[in-house]
Amino acid sequence: MNMAEISILLIRPQMGENIGAAARVMHNFGLADLRIVAPRDGWPNAAAEAMSAGAKELIASARLFDSVAEAVADLHQLYATTARPREMEKEAIWLQELPAHLKQNVAGENIKLGVLFGPERSGLENEDLALCDTILSVPVNPAYPSLNLAQAVALVCYELSRVTLGAQAESPSPAAEAASKAALQGFFDQLEVALDAVHFWRVAEKKPVMWMNLRNLFTRARLNEQEIRTLRGMIRRLSER
Amino acid sequence: MNMAEISILLIRPQMGENIGAAARVMHNFGLADLRIVAPRDGWPNAAAEAMSAGAKELIASARLFDSVAEAVADLHQLYATTARPREMEKEAIWLQELPAHLKQNVAGENIKLGVLFGPERSGLENEDLALCDTILSVPVNPAYPSLNLAQAVALVCYELSRVTLGAQAESPSPAAEAASKAALQGFFDQLEVALDAVHFWRVAEKKPVMWMNLRNLFTRARLNEQEIRTLRGMIRRLSER
């Protein structure tokens, strides 16, 4: 699936700021096809441009439509985002189920996908839902389910990106080059001598457990060679006085 | 894990609008603990209140701090959100790995969790990252990685909600009870005084980096309270001579 070909459709949006913020987060996730149906304040919209930040191109290339039917004409699979349960015989999924749902239902390369978002105040109308295949709901706090429009777009874009990520997504952890065990042992030997010298253990019988705990915590840190040099320097300086 | 007890920390936020939008989406997902460190435009902030919509209570109960260290003092596990790879020896995960990471590392009921977000323009400083346990990155389009602050908060809240959603059955593995950040800071303060006293840094200009690296390696070890007591005793004895 190509993220750039997924369409985000804002149906009768009210605030230009939300259109701009939606474009910005689409660009954050590599989506490029923005469609706008009957925006309240007309088009172009200065507030949308301002809020789009680095996604000015998406605003410039956004397509304007008079009706939902025209806006979705070339698409094949439509998701309607709505928080509210409707009395409607239609498949409904949670947002976190979207990747699995896409894999099952949108297999072909030529399947064009769209996600519809309703106006800020009222959400999608039943007439809009009737055009859609699947209802998509974000699992929000029932006490306060009203998501900001651009936030809803952000969550959908993020969940869509899971599909593309799939196998990829290796941790960005810097593969810490752990020091050799010999280097670690060298530090331990030095530390033990230093602690013996200041009678750190107080009671001799306690040393075995205390010493094991100390070594454990340093082992857990997966020290690299440079860090071991720093720690050795630290113990040396503290002991020299 | 109780969503209401997870802390969201906005570090030096610039735009009141973003603070308000962050509070709103926190409430959407049932989060309630908002902490704000040194907001650019002071506090309270009318734009924050306006954008918070139905989450006015979160704005009213948000706690204000002068420094990151004070804001995190009672927390145990800290995630730092940043899009940029850093040359830093610190664990880093992708946002979609967060639920699994929480299950592995934050098992105890008394582990208090915080997620830090940096200022809009510049993100978190290395000094902020040094206080954190784990770097958390959203898998964004490398060509345009700059996420809006409140959008980043939305994505993290959504991913956190997965833990509560899918957290049935699986028995959490016992994790070490990490010490509070205040206890860790106490050790750092003592160690810094001791190392200053023996002129450990040699060249003054090298201290900031060396000191950050040292704190990072101890943070990485996820020390518990007993281990911090042992280390403090060790530094005290070595310095006493």
Side-chain angles (χ1 to χ4, degrees), chain B residues 213-231:
Chain B
N213 290 343
L214 258 180
R215 281 175 297 163
N216 271 335
L217 80 84
F218 283 112
T219 303
R220 208 165 64 221
R222 293 176 189 278
L223 304 167
N224 63 33
E225 303 273 351
Q226 176 56 51
E227 289 169 336
I228 285 181
R229 278 194 295 274
T230 303
L231 286 172

Side-chain angles (χ1 to χ4, degrees), chain B residues 96-128:
Chain B
Q96 64 270 25
E97 297 173 312
L98 181 58
H101 192 264
L102 284 172
K103 275 180 198 164
Q104 278 189 341
N105 297 279
V106 192
E109 292 226 341
N110 298 319
I111 301 288
K112 292 185 73 179
L113 194 72
V115 187
L116 280 71
F117 297 84
E120 288 88 336
R121 193 168 298 271
S122 51
L124 292 169
E125 307 271 327
N126 283 348
E127 280 296 307
D128 307 321

Side-chain angles (χ1 to χ4, degrees), chain B residues 38-91:
Chain B
R40 183 191 64 187
D41 298 339
W43 197 255
N45 180 312
E49 276 167 50
M51 280 295 285
S52 68
K56 299 266 183 298
E57 273 181 44
L58 258 88
I59 294 293
S61 67
R63 277 177 282 173
L64 195 69
F65 296 90
D66 291 327
S67 72
V68 178
E70 290 169 273
V72 303
D74 62 321
L75 305 177
H76 303 91
Q77 166 74 26
L78 297 180
Y79 292 94
T81 55
T82 167
R84 284 152 297 175
R86 309 265 181 163
E87 290 185 10
M88 189 175 277
E89 291 287 333
K90 196 179 284 291
E91 183 183 41

Side-chain angles (χ1 to χ4, degrees), chain A residues 21 24-25 27-30 52-55 95-96 138-141 143-148 150-151 154-155 158-159 161-162 165 169-174 176-177 191 194-195 197-200 202 210 213-214 217-218 220-224 227 230-231 233-241, chain B residues 21 24-25 27-30 52-55 88-97 137-141 144-148 150-151 154-155 158-159 161-162 165 191 194-195 197-200 202 210 213-214 217-218 220-224 227 230-231 233-241:
Chain A
R24 175 175 175 177
V25 78
H27 194 27
N28 285 142
F29 285 101
S52 69
L95 181 55
Q96 64 269 26
V138 181
V140 281
N141 176 8
Y144 185 54
S146 167
L147 272 172
N148 167 271
Q151 297 283 38
L155 297 173
Y158 170 65
E159 196 62 66
S161 77
R162 265 183 208 279
L165 285 169
E170 283 205 34
S171 227
S173 283
E177 285 174 39
L191 182 59
L195 293 178
V198 298
H199 307 293
F200 175 62
R202 303 189 184 201
M210 286 178 77
N213 289 343
L214 257 180
L217 80 86
F218 283 112
R220 207 164 64 222
R222 294 179 173 279
L223 304 166
N224 64 32
E227 288 170 336
T230 302
L231 286 173
M234 181 181 103
I235 300 302
R236 191 184 324 115
R237 291 292 287 175
L238 287 171
S239 307
E240 265 171 11
R241 284 214 306 188
Chain B
R24 175 175 174 177
V25 79
H27 193 28
N28 285 144
F29 285 101
S52 68
M88 189 175 277
E89 291 287 333
K90 196 179 284 291
E91 183 183 41
I93 62 170
W94 292 112
L95 180 56
Q96 64 270 25
E97 297 173 312
S137 302
V138 180
V140 281
N141 176 9
Y144 184 54
S146 166
L147 272 172
N148 165 270
Q151 298 281 38
L155 298 173
Y158 170 65
E159 196 61 66
S161 77
R162 262 180 212 273
L165 284 172
L191 182 60
L195 294 176
V198 296
H199 307 293
F200 174 63
R202 300 183 188 210
M210 288 178 74
N213 290 343
L214 258 180
L217 80 84
F218 283 112
R220 208 165 64 221
R222 293 176 189 278
L223 304 167
N224 63 33
E227 289 169 336
T230 303
L231 286 172
M234 180 181 104
I235 299 304
R236 191 185 323 115
R237 291 293 288 175
L238 288 170
S239 305
E240 264 170 12
R241 287 211 308 185

Side-chain angles (χ1 to χ4, degrees), chain B residues 1-3 5-11 26 31 33-35 68 71-81 98 101-102 106 110-117 124 128 131-136 156 160 181 222:
Chain B
M1 201 179 58
N2 186 345
M3 292 287 277
E5 286 176 3
I6 298 172
S7 305
I8 296 292
L9 299 101
L10 305 182
I11 313 303
M26 283 175 65
L31 280 82
D33 186 30
L34 174 60
R35 305 181 182 198
V68 178
V72 303
D74 62 321
L75 305 177
H76 303 91
Q77 166 74 26
L78 297 180
Y79 292 94
T81 55
L98 181 58
H101 192 264
L102 284 172
V106 192
N110 298 319
I111 301 288
K112 292 185 73 179
L113 194 72
V115 187
L116 280 71
F117 297 84
L124 292 169
D128 307 321
L131 290 167
C132 294
D133 300 286
T134 307
I135 286 173
L136 187 62
V156 168
L160 282 168
K181 293 302 174 191
R222 293 176 189 278

